[in-house]
Structure formats: C-alpha cells, structure tokens
C-alpha cells in the first residue's frame, strides 16, 4: 500500500515536472513568435496616381494607449525600413501623410525575416478613427519641418525640456550628451526661432520647464550656398521649441561654499538675470585647491556666456584651473551682459578681474650626452607667481538677413605680474665629480597693457552664389618690466674664481599690429567652385633692455651700453591664394587645386650704429592640392618659415654666466613640404567608426642651435641653417558604440606614433638624431540612464632617442597610466563619484617613486522638493600618493622634473541652485 502510494506520488511529480517544462517551452516559443526581431520595409504611394509619397510618417504604436514604439519618415522614393524591430501582438503601424487618410496596419505573427508593406493612401481626411487621428496629429510633416505635438507626450510635473525630448521618437541622446534627430547631429536649439540664453543646448535642456512647450520642430540647418554644396547627411539639424506663452523674465543661479582639511576652501556664486532682450550675469569665485570653481560649461549653461556667439570675449577663457605644478590660490570676479536691440542686432559686454598666486618648489635633473662623456645637472628651487589682471570685452553683431552679417569686437586687458625665482644647481660629468655650481635669484615686476579691435563682414549673394568675407584688425600693446637678476657661478677646475652677474634690467617695449584680409568664393554650380583670397599682416615690435650691472655685492649698479643694445623689428607678410574645387555629391568625390604666394619683409633697426639696419625680403610660391573620395583623402602643401628677429639679432644674451647666446644675421628661411593621407568612416547604424591619418613632413634649411661647451661647462650657442629634417606621424582610432534606449556602451583603441629626425650640431660635430614617440590608449565606457556611468582605460607612452653618431648612446623611457572612473546615481538625490589613476615610469630619479596611485571621491546629496540644495563631501588624493613627476627625452637630453603638488585633503561643500522662469 505504501509502495503504491509512493509510486503514484513519484508519477505525479514527473507529470508536474513535464507540464512545467512544456509550459516554459510554450512560453518561450510564444515569446519568440511574438517578440522576434524582424526587418519591415514600407513603400507608400498616392492611390490616385501611384506616385511615391515623400515624408510620409510610419509609426509603430501600442494599441491600448497609442504609445510610440517606433517612428520613421519615407524618402523621395516613398520608402522607409525598420531594422531589427521587435514585433509584438497588440501593436499596429500607422502610415499617414498630410492631406491623406492614415492607414492602420495591425501587427500579425510571421516567420519571415523581412516583411514588405505596400501602402496606398487615399487623399481624403474625413474618415479618421480616434486612435489614428491622435497618432497622426502627434507627429506630422509640414513642408521640410518635422513637428511633434507635446500634448501626446506626457511628462512628470516640474520636468525640464531634456525629459520631454527623450520621449520623442527619432530623437536620441548619445555619449557626451550629444543630441541626434533622425540620425543626424543637432547643432543648436532655438526658442520660437531665436537663440535662448546661449548657443549651448544644455541651457534649455536643464532649465526650461517642459510644460511651457507647445510643439517641437526639427529642420535642417540653413546656410544658403553652403547647404547647396553639402551632402544631406552632413547637414546638422536644428530643434525649434514653440512656446505656449512667451518667456519674458527669469533668474538662474548657483552659489556654493566649502572648507576642508589643510585649510583648503572654495566659494563662489553665479547669477544670471534676464528680462525680455536683456541678460545680465554676475560671477565670483575664490579657492586654494585644484577646483576651478566654475567651468566654461557652467558659464554657458547658467551664465549665458555662449550667447555672445562668434563675438569672441571669454568663450575660451581660463577660469583659473591649474596643471600639476604648484599650489594655487585663485580669485575671479566678472560680469557678462547680452542685449538685443532688435532680433538682428546684438551687443555683448564682459568684464573680468583675476587675482592668482601660485607657489611651487621644484627639482630638476638633466642628463646631456656629449659623445664619450656626459653632463649631469641637478637643480632645486622655488618660485612664486602673483598676477592681477583686468579684462574688458565688447562685441557687436548685426545680422542683416540670413545671407549677411557684420561683427565688431573690442578687447582691452591689463596684467600686473610679480615673479620670484630662486634656484641652486650643480654640474658634474662622467670624469669630474663637481664641475661647477650656480645660484640664481630672479625678482621681476612687469605691467602689460593690450588693446585689440577687429571688424569683419560676411555676405552671401544667393542669386549669383558668391560668398565674400572682409576683415581687418588693429592691436597695440605696451610691456614694461623691472627685473633684478643675480647669478653667481663657481668653477672647480683650473683654479677658476667665482664669477657674478648682478643685473638690473628695465624695459619699455611697445608693440603694434594691423591686418587686412579679403576672400571670395564663387559657386558656379553644385559641382564647381572658385576661391580667391589675399591678406596683409604687419607687426612692429621692440626688444632689448636698459641693463645696469655690478661686478660685486659692494659696487653700485652701472649702466652698460654694450648690454643695453635695443632694436625695433617690423615684419610685413603678404599672402594671396587661388583655388578651384570640384565636388560631386553623388559619387562623394571632391578635388581642390590651388596655389599660394607669400612675401615677407623683415626690418631690424638697432640702437647701436655699428650694427645699423637689417633688411630681409623673402618670396615664396607653393602649390596646394587635395583629393577626397568618400571616406579617403590625400593632400599636399608647402610652406616657408622665415627666421625671427630674435634669431637674426647679432646681440649676445649674457644674462647667465653659464649660457651665452648670439643671433645670426645671415640666416635663410626654412621650407617645409607636407603630405598627408586620411581615412574616416562612421557606420551610423552599427555605431562603429575607424579613422586614420598618416602625415609626412620634410624640411630643408632647418634653423637649429649650434652649441659649443668648453671644459668649464660654459655653453656658447648661435643659430645656423643646417641639413634636412623629417617628421612622420600616424594616428589611428577604432571605436565601437552601442546605444539602445537607456543603455550606452562604447570601447575604442587609439594609437599615435611619431618619428622626428632633426640635425644636432654640438662641439663642431654634426649628426642626425631620431626621436620616436608611441602613445597607445585603450578605453571603454558604459552608462544606464543617469543611474550609473563608468569609464576606464589604459595609456602607455614610449619615448626613444638615438643618433647616427654612435658615440651618442640611445635613450629610452616609458610610462603607464591606468584609470577607472565611476559615477553612481541610485536616486535623484544621491550621487557618488570615484576617480582612480595609477601611474608608473621606467627611469625615475633617486628618491622618486616608480609607481604612484591617485584617487579622489565625492558623495553628494540633494535636499528639498526641487533638489536644489546639495551637500558634497569630497576627498582629494585619498591615499596621499600624488606626484608631480614627469620625464621625457629629446635628442641627447634626458629631462626629469618633480614639482610641488597638492596632497590629500577632505572638503565639505554646500551649494544652492535657484531658478525662476515666468511669462
């Protein structure tokens, strides 16, 4: 009885197991049948005449709520194709075109890998069903404009424009927040046809409320003749937001303050106010650590600085960030004002004040190979740099219409610099333990004033298809300096006594520059264009100091005419060029052939009558050729580099008693020939790209330094024309991306290799040196929505130097960097960031690390309903291993340097963002 019960129970278990397996297989089969990836190709025609309908909408919707699952626009042949589409039951295709009855096509199961749909639309709009009416009204074509009705794309309360755009079919956000519409890059976003805040789209994305938007329109960027000559896929898109009510006034801003260990602090504020056509931004920041306080992204997004467009100003302004050398203390204050007199006339005014103080301590080691011996120079010192600057910019632009505009810029700046530098160095050789020692002290004060003004006019004549550009500029500057230089050198061979150079140098050096230029482009048709241009540039400068020198610490400074030789230098440069371009958009072939003529007039006038006046005239004629076919191109050009006035000056620079340098008035210009080949291919659907660039440069009549080093280690050098040189470089990149709804993945390989051959002239012996550099980067990144972002990679850098003369030994070094960064946002309020970098170098100096690990992290939490108050706890250099070490090799030199850098500290920062936008 018990056995029979057991057997029955086991049979029931087996049946239940098989039943579950069957259910799983059926479910998987149904899922595969109803959610398989299928290619669907449509062709839409007019039912009356059977002609293709261009710009018809093909939309995949979910039946129960009309949600958009896919979207496309037919081409000139009335065709559109969906690739790898997941077809499910309960969905339908809606095909519509303005003035025609939309057609609803339910999705049915099919085993075919490709479905062809031929759709004929009837020109009648009176029979629309409710669902079809809604779908057709949500997205439609109006001429060349694709228009979305925002009523059909619901967003959460308090949502901004970015959240709205992410819901629209055909619009996608890719890496680095780049926006694409219909597979083409979006160049800018406008509001009611006008730029709003700035040309940076992030201003709108992050700040403008979505509930103000009535319609979203997508059009091609218009640029008259340029549009006609560009291929369709190369023309960017413009997103225009049509508002329900005009935005009339508002305020955006950010203030923050933080304090940390080691007395580190940061504080600042940025406020942007706008009302109708006036926008005023105020900025102030101060810190004594590696933060810039505000980035240019902040200025563009919050301060509206990008709104000045091409008018210059602080669009490339350095806000006070620093490199790896020294401890900074930086303050900045300024304002930016934009005012639109009319929709076509705009004024931009900016003012900035900066106060910087950087303190550094350094250690340098230089090894110089001298055939059968070598010099080893060790120096240690400290520097302090204090700088104050005032900068004023005013820009005016007048856009006559879509074909012409006038721009005028005015810039003035005043810089006051105080520099202090002290160092002690010692020189030894392979045969002598101590050759000499030197101590230096440099204390300087300088003031520089610069004025620059320029005007440009661009005009396109649409009927004649002619583009003209006229531009002119004028600049004047004055640099005044007061400099004390004390150098004391002691030699330890042949009983050489200590030698001192104690100098007081005064300079008053004005500069003037003016420039005129004109160019004209004539488009004969879509395939042929002729281009001509000419320009003249004139530089007038002054060099040399009033030098007062004393031979001992007890003597007064005495004016030294032999060291006080001054000269003015005037350099005139005339340049003209003419070129013909052929371009066939269909075959994607273009060819450009041209020629360039240049003339340089150089005049140096010396205060020493025995030198007198130097005059040099150089003429140069060169071809310019480029050929491009699809993704491949090749180009060739030549150029000339005349010697600078400094190189031509016969005056000896003797400010150091270990290094004396004299110019050469007999120098000739160097010439260079350039040949380059490039390949650049991007597969949009596969998000795969390959690029490469190979360039070869040959130089003749190189201007190089000719040096002689005597047995006391004193170097005397001049400049000579000598030998040939060459440079070969290869740049290769392979990148693969994956974008699917909320996921972004990417990986890539970048390789840069360069070989540079230059002549070396040392101690009456000439040789050819070869420097080789190879840089390899392997990187990967990934993100899911805004929740998590990862990126990491590996860099390796090889640097080699060798010489044809085997008495100069080959030098090699390499360095590695591995990095990994993570940004995790588990909730809207909490953000965690962690950045890591591991560095290593092959030949560190004694006392330097072979490897060091740098890591910093921050944890931020936002408070209140609008999440506009943030507390951020950050840690810099968590493991206290930061090193300002650097090494490189060139010719017969090996340079090693280590600078004072910031070490570990922790900081708590509180920030508050505010905005109010009204009608």
């Amino acid at each position: 009885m018990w056995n029979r019960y057991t057997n029955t129970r086991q049979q029931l278990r087996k049946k239940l197991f098989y039943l579950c397996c069957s259910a799983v297989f059926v479910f998987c089969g149904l899922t595969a049948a109803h959610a398989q990836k299928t290619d669907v190709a449509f062709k839409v025609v007019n039912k009356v005449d059977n002609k293709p309908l261009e710009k018809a909408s093909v939309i995949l919707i979910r039946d129960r709520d009309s949600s958009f699952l896919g979207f496309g626009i037919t081409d000139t042949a009335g065709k559109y194709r969906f690739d790898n589409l997941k077809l499910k039951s309960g969905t339908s295709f809606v095909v519509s075109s303005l003035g025609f009855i939309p057609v609803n096509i339910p999705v049915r199961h099919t085993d075919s890998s490709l479905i062809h749909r031929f759709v004929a639309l009837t020109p009648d709009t009176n029979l629309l069903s409710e669902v079809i009416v809604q779908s057709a009204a949500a997205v439609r074509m109006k001429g060349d404009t694709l228009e979305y009705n925002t009523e059909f794309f619901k967003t959460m309360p308090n949502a901004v424009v970015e959240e709205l755009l992410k819901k629209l079919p055909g619009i996608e956000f890719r890496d680095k927040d780049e926006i694409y519409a219909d597979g083409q890059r979006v160049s800018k976003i406008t509001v009611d046809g006008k730029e709003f805040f700035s040309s940076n789209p992030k201003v709108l994305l992050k700040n403008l409320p979505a509930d103000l938007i009535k319609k979203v329109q997508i059009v091609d960027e218009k640029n008259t003749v340029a549009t006609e000559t560009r291929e369709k896929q190369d023309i960017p898109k413009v997103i225009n937001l049509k508002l329900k009510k005009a935005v009339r006034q508002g305020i955006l801003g950010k203030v923050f303050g933080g304090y940390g260990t080691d007395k580190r602090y940061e504080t600042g504020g940025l406020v942007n106010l706008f009302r109708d056509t006036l926008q005023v931004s105020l900025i102030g920041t101060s810190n004594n650590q590696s933060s810039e306080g505000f980035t240019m992204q902040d200025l563009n997004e919050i301060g509206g600085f990008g709104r000045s467009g091409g008018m210059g100003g602080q669009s490339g302004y350095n806000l006070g960030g620093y490199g790896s050398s020294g401890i900074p203390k930086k303050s900045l204050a300024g304002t930016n004002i934009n005012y639109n007199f009319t929709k076509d006339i705009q004024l931009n005014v900016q003012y900035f004040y900066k106060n910087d103080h950087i303190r550094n301590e350094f250690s340098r080691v230089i090894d110089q190979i001298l055939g059968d011996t070598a010099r080893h120079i060790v120096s240690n010192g400290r520097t302090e740099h204090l700088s104050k600057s005032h900068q004023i910019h005013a820009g005016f632009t007048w856009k006559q219409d879509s074909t012409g505009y006038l721009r005028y810029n005015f810039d003035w700046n005043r810089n006051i610099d105080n520099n202090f530098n002290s160092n002690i160095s010692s020189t030894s050789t392979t045969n002598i333990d101590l050759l000499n020692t030197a101590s230096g002290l440099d204390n300087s004060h300088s003031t520089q004033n610069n004025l620059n003004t320029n005007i440009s006019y661009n005009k396109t004549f649409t009927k004649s298809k002619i583009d003209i550009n006229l531009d002119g500029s004028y600049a004047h500057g004055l640099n005044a300096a007061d400099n004390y230089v004390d150098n004391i050198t002691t030699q330890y061979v042949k009983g050489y006594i200590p030698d001192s150079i104690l100098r007081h140098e005064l300079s008053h050096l004005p500069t003037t520059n003016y420039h005129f230029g004109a160019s004209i482009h004539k488009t004969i048709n879509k395939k042929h264009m002729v281009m001509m241009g000419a320009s003249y540039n004139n530089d007038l400068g002054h060099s040399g100091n009033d030098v007062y020198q004393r031979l001992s610490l007890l003597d007064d400074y005495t004016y030294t005419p032999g060291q006080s030789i001054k000269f003015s230098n005037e350099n005139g440069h005339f340049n003209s060029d003419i070129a013909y371009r052929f371009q066939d958009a269909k075959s994607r072939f273009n060819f450009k052939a041209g020629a360039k003529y240049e003339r340089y007039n150089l005049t140096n006038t010396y205060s020493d009558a025995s030198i007198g006046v130097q005059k040099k005239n150089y003429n140069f004629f060169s071809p310019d050729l480029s050929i491009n076919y699809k993704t491949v191109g090749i180009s060739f050009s030549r150029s000339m580099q005349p010697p600078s006035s400094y190189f031509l000056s016969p005056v000896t620079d003797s400010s150091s008693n270990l290094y004396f340098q004299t110019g050469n008035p007999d120098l000739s210009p160097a010439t260079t020939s350039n040949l380059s080949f490039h390949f650049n291919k991007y597969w949009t659907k596969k998000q795969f790209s390959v690029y490469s660039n190979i360039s070869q440069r040959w130089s003749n009549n190189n201007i190089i330094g000719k040096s002689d080093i005597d047995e006391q280690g004193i170097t005397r050098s001049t400049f000579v024309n000598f030998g040939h040189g060459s440079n070969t470089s290869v740049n290769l990149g392979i990148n693969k991306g994956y974008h699917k709804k909320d996921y972004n993945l990417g990986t890539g390989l970048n390789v840069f290799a360069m070989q540079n051959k230059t002549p070396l002239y040392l101690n009456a012996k000439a040789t050819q040196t070869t420097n080789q550099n190879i840089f390899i980067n392997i990187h990967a990144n990934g993100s899911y929505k805004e929740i998590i972002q990862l990126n990491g990679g590996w860099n390796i850098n090889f640097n080699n130097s060798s010489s044809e003369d085997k008495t100069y030994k080959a030098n090699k070094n390499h360095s590695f960097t591995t990095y990994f960064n993570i940004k995790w946002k588990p909730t809207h309020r909490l953000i965690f960031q962690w950045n890591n970098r591991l560095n290593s170098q092959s030949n560190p100096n004694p006392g330097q690390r072979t490897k060091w690990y740098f890591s910093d992290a921050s944890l931020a939490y936002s408070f209140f309903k609008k999440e506009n108050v943030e507390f951020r706890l950050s840690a810099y250099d968590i493991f206290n291993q930061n090193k300002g070490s650097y090494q490189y090799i060139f010719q017969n030199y090996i340079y090693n340097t280590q600078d004072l850098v910031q070490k570990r500290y922790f900081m708590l920062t509180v920030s508050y963002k505010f905005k109010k936008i009204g009608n």
Side-chain angles (χ1 to χ4, degrees):
M1 181 74 178
W2 174 258
N3 290 336
R4 187 169 58 182
Y5 172 78
T6 303
N7 292 335
T8 304
R9 188 175 181 183
Q10 290 177 346
Q11 290 176 357
L12 288 173
R13 284 180 178 178
K14 287 183 180 180
K15 289 181 180 180
L16 183 60
F17 172 77
Y18 291 138
L19 182 61
C20 291
C21 290
S22 302
V24 170
F25 286 129
V26 170
F27 176 78
C28 293
L30 290 174
T31 302
H34 291 275
Q36 63 182 341
K37 292 185 177 181
T38 308
D39 296 337
V40 184
F42 283 86
K43 182 172 183 179
V44 184
V45 299
N46 186 334
K47 190 173 183 179
V48 176
D49 52 16
N50 215 34
K51 290 184 178 180
L53 285 179
E54 182 184 1
K55 298 177 182 178
S57 301
V58 183
I59 306 170
L60 178 62
I61 65 171
R62 188 164 50 211
D63 293 339
R64 69 172 183 268
D65 55 8
S66 297
S67 297
F68 282 71
L69 303 177
F71 174 75
I73 299 291
T74 59
D75 58 18
T76 55
K79 296 180 179 180
Y80 184 81
R81 172 171 170 158
F82 293 96
D83 293 323
N84 295 324
L85 199 62
K86 290 184 178 180
L87 297 181
K88 300 179 181 180
S89 58
T91 60
S92 301
F93 286 104
V94 177
V95 182
S96 63
S97 184
L98 192 63
F100 291 82
I101 299 176
V103 173
N104 191 3
I105 306 173
V107 171
R108 295 187 177 90
H109 165 62
T110 176
D111 294 327
S112 173
S113 60
L114 174 64
I115 302 176
H116 291 279
R117 295 287 188 182
F118 182 86
V119 181
L121 297 183
T122 303
D124 185 359
T125 59
N126 297 322
L127 302 177
L128 303 181
S129 67
E130 182 179 356
V131 172
I132 296 177
V133 170
Q134 290 182 354
S135 302
V139 184
R140 66 174 182 170
M141 290 296 302
K142 293 179 62 177
D144 293 331
T145 303
L146 176 63
E147 187 176 83
Y148 300 87
N149 189 339
T150 60
E151 293 181 6
F152 299 95
F153 304 94
K154 301 301 181 183
T155 57
M156 296 293 291
N158 299 321
V160 293
V161 168
E162 180 180 33
E163 298 172 65
L164 171 63
L165 294 183
K166 287 181 177 180
K167 290 181 174 291
L168 304 184
I171 296 181
E172 53 183 324
F173 287 72
R174 297 183 182 174
D175 293 341
K176 300 179 181 179
D177 290 330
E178 288 187 336
I179 309 173
Y180 284 77
D182 196 21
Q184 294 172 241
R185 181 179 60 85
V186 174
S187 61
K188 63 180 178 180
I189 300 179
T190 60
V191 176
D192 287 336
K194 298 180 291 186
E195 291 189 9
F196 184 72
F197 286 120
S198 79
S199 56
N200 189 334
K202 291 184 180 180
V203 179
L204 297 166
L205 299 180
K206 303 293 186 182
N207 294 289
L208 196 62
D211 57 12
L212 292 179
I213 310 303
K214 183 178 181 180
K215 296 183 185 297
V216 177
Q217 299 175 326
I218 298 178
V219 296
D220 289 339
E221 184 184 73
K222 296 294 190 296
N223 191 15
T224 57
V225 176
T227 301
E228 296 179 10
T229 57
R230 280 189 290 183
E231 297 182 43
K232 181 68 176 177
Q233 62 269 23
D234 296 330
I235 301 176
K237 296 288 187 178
V238 174
I239 293 180
N240 179 51
L241 306 176
K242 294 185 70 66
L243 300 177
K244 297 176 182 177
K245 295 181 181 179
V247 173
R248 307 295 295 178
Q249 60 186 3
I251 180 171
L252 306 172
K254 171 185 176 182
V255 292
F256 66 93
Y259 192 79
T261 59
D262 200 23
K263 296 183 180 180
R264 297 296 163 201
Y265 72 89
E266 63 176 352
T267 183
L270 174 60
V271 181
N272 179 63
L273 307 98
F274 69 94
R275 186 178 183 89
D276 296 330
T277 59
L278 176 66
Q279 181 181 346
V280 179
S281 301
L282 304 173
I283 179 176
T285 180
S286 179
N287 68 80
N288 66 347
Q289 35 87 30
S290 60
S291 171
E292 294 183 357
F294 289 106
T295 64
M296 284 307 302
Q297 177 177 322
D298 290 326
L299 289 183
N300 286 332
E301 291 184 11
I302 303 176
F305 282 54
R307 194 179 183 189
S308 59
M311 290 191 291
Q314 306 301 338
S315 58
Y317 185 67
N318 181 0
L319 293 173
Y322 83 115
S324 60
S325 303
I327 304 297
K329 181 179 180 181
K330 294 175 174 287
S331 299
L332 167 72
T335 184
N336 177 66
I337 301 173
N338 294 312
Y339 179 66
N340 289 353
F341 292 95
T342 68
K343 67 176 182 178
D344 297 322
I345 300 178
Q346 183 182 4
L347 174 69
N348 171 250
V349 178
Q350 295 174 1
Y351 167 76
F352 278 92
Y353 169 75
K354 285 181 63 179
N355 189 330
D356 297 342
H357 180 198
I358 299 178
R359 176 176 57 88
N360 188 25
E361 296 175 3
F362 62 86
S363 175
R364 309 273 191 269
V365 177
I366 301 175
D367 291 304
Q368 184 184 25
I369 312 302
L370 303 172
D372 57 352
T373 185
R375 288 204 305 173
H376 184 70
I377 304 171
V378 179
S379 62
N380 296 278
R382 68 184 182 92
T383 63
E384 282 198 60
H385 172 73
L386 294 90
S387 175
K388 296 180 180 180
S389 67
H390 300 267
Q391 298 179 327
I392 296 176
H393 164 79
F396 171 84
T397 181
W398 175 31
K399 186 178 179 181
Q400 295 176 303
D401 51 36
S402 62
T403 65
Y405 57 88
L406 176 72
R407 285 176 176 163
Y408 173 77
N409 288 309
F410 171 91
D411 290 277
W412 176 84
N413 64 76
R414 176 180 174 85
N415 299 313
I416 301 173
D417 294 297
N418 290 281
N419 293 284
F420 174 81
N421 178 30
S422 66
N423 65 85
I424 298 175
S425 66
S426 62
T427 304
S428 60
T429 69
T430 307
N431 305 315
I432 301 174
D433 291 336
L434 185 60
L435 180 63
N436 60 54
T437 61
S439 64
L441 183 66
D442 189 337
N443 194 345
S444 66
H445 172 82
S446 65
T447 303
Q448 188 176 37
N449 294 280
N450 291 296
L451 168 69
N452 182 284
T453 180
N454 63 79
I455 187 170
S456 64
Y457 178 72
N458 297 79
K459 176 67 176 179
T460 297
F461 299 93
T462 308
K463 291 184 178 180
S464 56
K465 295 184 179 180
I466 293 178
D467 289 296
I468 64 169
N469 174 266
L470 304 172
D471 67 278
S473 65
Y474 172 80
H476 179 74
L478 178 62
N479 187 6
D482 187 354
N483 186 26
Y484 286 88
V485 181
D486 295 350
N487 289 319
I488 301 176
T489 301
T490 301
Q491 300 283 358
Y492 292 90
V493 294
K494 292 187 177 182
Y496 194 83
I497 63 173
D499 184 17
S500 302
I501 293 182
L502 305 144
R503 297 160 58 101
H504 179 203
E505 302 174 351
L506 295 174
S507 62
H508 189 81
L509 307 174
T511 60
T512 304
N513 169 273
Y514 58 85
H515 168 88
F516 302 102
S519 65
I520 180 171
H521 293 181
K522 166 62 178 175
T523 301
I524 301 172
N525 54 42
K526 290 186 177 182
K527 292 185 177 181
H528 304 278
M529 176 183 285
V530 178
M531 298 163 283
M532 293 177 289
S535 65
Y536 181 76
N537 188 81
N538 185 275
D539 287 296
L540 178 61
H542 294 77
S543 299
N545 303 323
D546 289 317
V547 179
Y548 299 81
Q549 188 166 327
R550 60 182 182 177
L551 300 177
S552 70
L553 297 176
L554 300 177
D555 297 332
D556 292 332
Y557 284 102
T558 303
Y559 181 73
T560 56
Q563 296 293 320
S564 303
I565 299 175
K566 296 179 287 186
F567 69 95
S568 63
N569 53 282
E570 184 172 6
N571 303 327
H573 177 210
F574 173 77
N575 176 72
S576 63
D577 61 87
I578 184 171
Y580 160 77
R581 191 194 71 184
F582 171 83
Q583 176 173 295
D584 183 13
K586 186 175 182 180
S587 63
R588 298 175 61 189
F589 171 82
N590 69 73
F591 167 82
K592 179 182 176 182
K596 177 173 63 176
Y597 169 73
E598 295 179 273
R599 178 176 174 84
Y600 293 88
N601 298 318
L602 310 182
T603 304
N604 294 340
T605 304
Y606 293 87
S607 60
D608 187 343
S610 63
I611 303 177
V613 178
Q614 289 180 339
K615 288 190 176 181
K616 301 287 184 179
N617 299 315
Y618 308 112
N619 295 282
F620 187 71
F621 180 84
S622 62
D624 191 358
L625 177 68
S626 66
I627 302 174
N628 295 277
Y629 177 66
K630 294 184 177 179
T631 58
V632 180
I634 188 170
S635 63
F636 176 79
S637 64
R638 297 188 72 236
S639 60
M640 180 177 69
Q641 299 81 41
S644 68
S645 296
Y646 178 76
F647 288 173
L648 292 170
S649 170
V651 179
T652 300
D653 181 355
S654 58
S655 57
S656 169
N657 40 25
L658 285 178
Y659 300 93
F660 298 87
Q661 185 165 277
T662 307
N664 179 3
D666 297 323
L667 288 175
S668 299
T671 58
T672 303
S673 300
N674 299 279
L675 178 66
S676 66
F677 167 84
H678 72 266
F679 172 81
N680 194 338
K681 176 66 175 178
Y682 179 69
W683 290 267
T684 304
K685 292 183 178 180
K686 296 182 179 180
Q687 298 181 47
F688 180 73
S689 66
V690 177
Y691 73 86
S692 65
N693 186 287
I694 303 173
S695 65
Q696 178 69 50
R697 185 175 73 242
W698 300 272
S699 58
N700 295 300
N701 241 8
N702 291 278
I703 299 175
I704 65 169
K706 177 181 179 295
S707 300
D708 292 287
I709 304 173
D710 64 20
E711 56 187 1
Q712 275 102 27
I714 298 175
T715 302
R716 292 176 173 85
S717 64
T718 186
F719 303 100
V720 296
N721 291 106
F722 184 81
H724 308 281
S726 67
N727 180 282
T728 305
S729 65
V730 178
N731 202 352
L732 172 67
I734 302 174
N735 295 279
K736 177 69 174 75
Y738 174 80
H739 172 76
K740 192 68 174 180
K741 290 185 178 179
D742 299 325
Y743 293 92
N744 280 291
L745 299 173
T747 186
L749 167 68
N750 302 98
V751 179
F752 174 78
M754 181 184 70
Q755 177 173 279
N756 189 29
K757 291 187 176 183
T758 56
L760 173 65
Y761 203 154
L762 180 63
N763 291 338
K765 182 184 291 186
T767 184
Q768 184 89 348
T769 62
T770 300
N771 279 83
Q772 297 172 328
N773 179 256
I774 300 175
F775 176 81
I776 302 173
N777 167 253
I778 301 174
H779 61 272
N781 63 81
S783 66
Y784 173 68
K785 294 184 177 179
E786 293 186 355
I787 297 176
I788 190 167
Q789 298 176 25
L790 305 170
N791 75 80
W794 179 62
N795 297 335
I796 181 171
N797 190 34
F798 294 95
N799 188 207
N800 306 323
S801 178
S802 60
S803 173
E804 290 180 352
D805 189 336
K806 299 305 178 183
T807 59
Y808 296 99
K809 70 174 185 179
N811 300 312
K812 297 181 179 181
N813 81 321
H814 60 265
S815 62
F816 298 88
T817 302
T818 304
Y819 60 95
F820 174 73
N821 306 315
I822 181 172
K823 181 179 180 181
W824 181 38
K825 192 175 181 181
T827 70
H828 285 291
R829 298 180 180 272
L830 185 64
I831 301 177
F832 172 74
Q833 290 182 268
W834 187 26
N835 304 316
N836 302 273
R837 187 173 71 248
L838 176 65
N839 301 293
S840 67
Q841 58 183 14
S842 59
N843 302 310
N845 287 327
Q848 291 184 355
R849 288 176 178 266
T850 304
K851 299 179 181 179
W852 63 97
Y853 173 57
F854 182 85
S855 177
D856 60 20
S858 68
L859 182 66
Y861 189 81
S862 300
F863 292 86
F864 303 115
K865 182 178 179 180
K866 294 185 178 180
E867 302 175 17
N868 56 339
V869 176
E870 180 186 85
F871 281 77
R872 180 182 296 271
L873 178 64
S874 57
Y876 181 87
D877 188 20
I878 298 173
F879 299 96
N880 210 32
Q881 294 187 14
N882 190 20
K883 294 291 181 182
S885 298
Y886 183 64
Q887 182 183 82
Y888 69 98
I889 293 174
F890 179 72
Q891 290 188 337
N892 63 327
Y893 285 93
I894 302 176
Y895 296 86
N896 290 275
T897 180
Q898 181 162 309
D899 294 282
L900 177 68
V901 293
Q902 292 197 124
K903 305 294 289 184
R904 176 174 56 199
Y905 67 86
F906 301 90
M907 177 174 287
L908 177 64
T909 303
V910 181
S911 63
Y912 171 64
K913 291 183 179 180
F914 51 91
K915 67 177 179 180
K916 182 179 180 181
I917 299 177
N919 300 322

